[in-house]
Amino acid sequence: MMATILLVDDEASVREMVSEVIRQSGHRVITADSVAKAKAIFTSQAIDLVVTDLVMPEQSGIDLILEFRQIKADVKVLAISGGGGITGRFDYLPIASLVGAGAILKKPFSINEFSHKLEELLNAN
Ligand SMILES: [Mg+2]
């Protein structure tokens, strides 16, 4: 099944790399570099799954999950993060799970790890 994936990350290099993996998996990808831009896309297009970074300069991926769940309670979210804040010592991934991310993945990850998580979540009910 071809899905439409919304990919949100403030880092261009991550957007490029992950977009390529999503396309190679046979899916359509739309990217956004901020939660605000992602929200505009999410409210105007049919999105099957959201892949979001957690640490971003304005609103965080945690904000995204909370806001998107207000719009669509069963939104599928795969959270990707390398850790937290400026120090990198705080791990936001468990918090993403608590607020509703269906899957989490720590950066850096392999193409196989990402594809596996993506398909698993796409196929989940
Ligand atoms: Mg980031």
Side-chain angles (χ1 to χ4, degrees), residues 42-94:
F42 189 70
T43 52
S44 62
Q45 297 193 47
I47 301 294
D48 298 303
L49 187 149
V50 182
V51 176
T52 188
D53 183 27
L54 293 180
V55 181
M56 293 184 277
E58 288 156 22
Q59 288 179 284
S60 71
I62 302 297
D63 296 322
L64 180 149
I65 296 167
L66 294 170
E67 289 190 13
F68 281 31
R69 288 191 71 200
Q70 303 268 330
I71 300 162
K72 187 184 176 197
D74 62 349
V75 57
K76 289 182 176 181
V77 178
L78 166 54
I80 56 175
S81 182
I86 295 163
T87 63
R89 279 179 295 180
F90 190 78
D91 187 359
Y92 288 99
L93 286 168

